[in-house]
Amino acid sequence: MIQEFLVYIFTVFEAIGYTLRLDPKIYATLVIHPDGEEVILGIVFLAGMSMFLGQSVILFVNRVRRGRFVFSLLTNGFVFIFSYLIWGVAVAFLSWIMFSVTALDLIIVVALVGLSTAPLVFGFLILMPYLGPAVGKVLSVWSMLIMTTIVEVAFDTSFVEAAVCVGLSW
């Protein structure tokens, strides 16, 4: 059981590495991988935790009580997942309008939106004084580039068309 967990963690970090390098092979690999959804959920989980860690310093400075901290943690987790789900639906809807794709392709794109959270694994870096907001912007743009690559590969379009689709949905 521990070995399976370690293999899973290795697979998650391997997928993060390929995603950060904008390697289009990772998208097809995760779609056909038997544990593809779990790997994507692992990436989203790590990204959400890292982002909250970067933002939680303010809560500690303000001496927020433990109950409110847990409530903030849960609320942030749900908002994080919900916002990326909405972005996935928006990308899928615009792709359906722009590229006339099938419903199966749209479901795949909504699932692959989780991969675009890979740069946010470095979200804890937003707690740096002075540079934190700039790092946050860089991570957001990197996430958008990954989503553009996903749309480009999934719908076999040009980079410009994919960028327009993702930009409008963002």
Side-chain angles (χ1 to χ4, degrees), residues 12-33:
V12 168
F13 280 105
E14 187 178 35
I16 289 171
Y18 283 118
T19 303
L20 292 177
R21 289 189 299 262
L22 300 174
D23 188 348
K25 291 184 279 186
I26 191 64
Y27 313 129
T29 303
L30 283 178
V31 167
I32 61 172
H33 193 277

Side-chain angles (χ1 to χ4, degrees), residues 24 27 95 98-102 105-106 108-109 112 147-163 165:
Y27 313 129
S95 300
M98 291 175 68
F99 311 125
S100 303
V101 294
T102 64
D105 292 334
L106 298 178
I108 290 171
V109 167
L112 289 177
M147 195 61 220
T148 303
T149 307
I150 290 171
V151 170
E152 182 182 8
V153 170
F155 301 129
D156 193 30
T157 65
S158 71
F159 179 80
V160 173
E161 290 174 326
C165 177

Side-chain angles (χ1 to χ4, degrees), residues 7-149:
V7 168
Y8 170 74
I9 294 297
F10 176 77
T11 306
V12 168
F13 280 105
E14 187 178 35
I16 289 171
Y18 283 118
T19 303
L20 292 177
R21 289 189 299 262
L22 300 174
D23 188 348
K25 291 184 279 186
I26 191 64
Y27 313 129
T29 303
L30 283 178
V31 167
I32 61 172
H33 193 277
D35 297 327
E37 292 91 14
E38 289 84 9
V39 170
I40 292 171
L41 285 175
I43 293 170
V44 173
F45 177 77
L46 286 175
M49 292 303 291
S50 181
M51 289 298 291
F52 186 74
L53 179 65
Q55 297 166 351
S56 66
V57 172
I58 300 301
L59 297 175
F60 290 127
V61 167
N62 290 325
R63 297 185 181 150
V64 172
R65 291 180 305 201
R66 186 178 305 152
R68 287 204 178 212
F69 179 77
V70 170
F71 178 75
S72 296
L73 176 68
L74 293 173
T75 303
N76 187 51
F78 286 121
V79 168
F80 187 79
I81 291 170
F82 189 68
S83 66
Y84 274 87
L85 181 65
I86 287 177
W87 190 24
V89 169
V91 168
F93 179 72
L94 285 171
S95 300
W96 176 65
I97 291 172
M98 291 175 68
F99 311 125
S100 303
V101 294
T102 64
L104 178 63
D105 292 334
L106 298 178
I107 293 169
I108 290 171
V109 167
V110 171
L112 289 177
V113 165
L115 285 176
S116 68
T117 65
L120 302 180
V121 170
F122 300 111
F124 65 92
L125 295 174
I126 65 173
L127 63 89
M128 290 189 308
Y130 304 112
L131 291 177
V135 169
K137 299 294 184 207
V138 168
L139 295 177
S140 293
V141 169
W142 199 353
S143 179
M144 185 176 168
L145 283 174
I146 290 171
M147 195 61 220
T148 303
T149 307

